[in-house]
Amino acid sequence: MKEIDKKIILKTEGLSKHYGGVKALDNADFTLQNGEHIAIVGDNGAGKSTFIRQITGVEIPTSGKIYFDGNLVNFKTPSDAKNAGIEAVYQNLALADDLDVPSNIFLGQEETYFNLGPFSFLNAKKMYDKSIEVLSKTGIKIPDINIAMSNMSGGQRQCVAISRSAGFASKLIIMDEPTAALGVQETEQVENIIKNLKDRGIPLIMISHNLRQVFDLVDKIWVFRQGKIVGSVDASTTNSNEVVSLITGIQQKVGEEASFI
Amino acid sequence: MNNFKANYKKLPPEFNIFLVLLGLALLFEILGWIFIGQSFVANKRRLIIMILQVSVIGIIAVGVTQVIIMAGIDLSGGSLVALSAIVAASLAQNSSYTKAVYPHLTDLPYIIPVLAGVACGLFAGFLSGNIIARTGIPPFIATLGMLVSARGASTWYNNGMPVSFLNDDFIALGQGVWPVVIFLSVAALFHILMRYTKYGKHTYAIGSNEEAARVAGINITRHKIIVYSIAGGLAGLAGVVTAARAMSAQAGMGMMYELDAIAAAVIGGTSLFGGRGRIAGTLFGVLILGVITSGFVFLRIDAYYQEMVKGAIIVGAVVVDQIRYKKKNTKDKDI
Ligand SMILES: Nc1ncnc2c1ncn2[C@@H]1O[C@H](COP(=O)(O)OP(=O)(O)O)[C@@H](O)[C@H]1O
Ligand SMILES: [Mg+2]
């Protein structure tokens, strides 16, 4: 990027990831405006999660460039991406099941009393209070946050994972299928958190299979198919038929109801 | 009934282990009166000897506990005891002895052999930690390698000869209540580290879900190296105490101590699957091993029975751990 567009928070050029012979992600050109909420949709195995893992430093791309917040970046580890202001909720809930809620929310970014490197003493009180605060915004009810995550329901776990990211995200938040395993009420709670992020002006990338949700929540829809980005459409001007055609690569008949899980 | 349940839940998790300890002591007490006509518990000397005997195992067990909480394992403890003991002893020799290992390095202040012994274990742990964290070789294999190599190194160090004629100030560390004081201080320090610091939190997190810890930004490689180094350092300290207590060191010292240390941790409630366990539990685990050993000696039962019972108790503790772990996992599935 020669002249950096201030409005663009994230841009990828020719981003690819190959696992052996499998081109899981192939030449992805992607842009995200500041404040924008977008959804990534596509069939299973389309490369959506792979795309996310390249941006968040969980994996290192085979080739291609990533620009974040105006700079060419080369994240080597997830903490590089975190330090740059990117927070992510991964598909396979990245929670430590034996730890309690505050420990999970603050994992890797603990509040401490004085800095003694790894031997810093934890400020448990502060982490407890802050956890209560971020969780209250989600509307989720967790009677006792000082018990291990393994004792909690799917919705409670997901809200903890999302609260963690939403609490720390400064520049970009990414969610990989945040409501895939949730019931109706729990899904609503997660959607509330997302709307709240929109109000705060924090850009979001969300992977979802739920087209109703996608149309409800985001500005723009990016469609992946077999490792490639096959289109991006404005949520306000497109319809589910068009999106489904892009996902499957098969033209829908006019008038036929789109059916896609 | 519900009330009982609620109160029971409030008790520290070590309560069950404490009951086992009491039960064993009671068993030996009863058997003592029946077969020997003596009390097992009401004998101060016996209790002191018992706790002295397990102090060295206890120091290793503290290091091993944090490794297991991190879902690792360390088999090298016993061999590191021998290596550190012999290295420390070689620097603690008396100038009146003409065949010292380092004739020019005799009568050194005791802090030098102590630090050398600890550093020796620390370095071995650092090596294992690097191998485990950087190559992905399973900890079982890496530390098994260290077990064999360190034992070899302790034989090589002084051509298989024992090292003795040690200075009094060094020997003092192994006498009286010193081993117990050292063990309890180490246990208290690590109890605090594991519960109240970032170090402990990250150790539990890695043991619970390494991938989650990684994406949370924890430097897994660095943390693993630190944890294994500390385990090695504590084994080194145990070696120093062993040499001081025996007033000499030789390559065969500390044989199978690693198994007793692992047993103490597991009996004390540390999960071999990682993520769960406490130093306080290990303390009770160590005491249980001590009671078994001294109880069998007290009843004048042959040592091999003792090994058999110990083995059965270890297997029992692991079975309990497995059942708990399965319960937890089936619960996760129906989410
Ligand atoms: N670590 C990996 N090793 C090998 N192949 C992988 C790996 N991760 C993903 N893949 C493959 O890459 C493709 C895209 O996967 P993924 O990004 O998980 O898809 P999606 O999230 O869109 O369902 C699939 O064919 C998948 O099997
Ligand atoms: Mg996926």
Side-chain angles (χ1 to χ4, degrees), chain B residues 80 83-84 87 115-125 232 236:
Chain B
L80 294 185
L83 184 60
S84 302
V87 168
L115 289 180
V118 173
C120 184
L122 198 75
F123 180 68

Side-chain angles (χ1 to χ4, degrees), chain B residues 28 289 292-297 299-314:
Chain B
F28 284 122
L289 290 181
I292 294 171
T293 309
S294 92
F296 274 71
V297 173
L299 295 175
R300 297 183 199 119
I301 302 173
D302 284 323
Y304 44 78
Y305 286 112
Q306 174 195 321
E307 300 293 323
M308 283 157 66
V309 169
K310 230 168 26 186
I313 288 181
I314 294 165

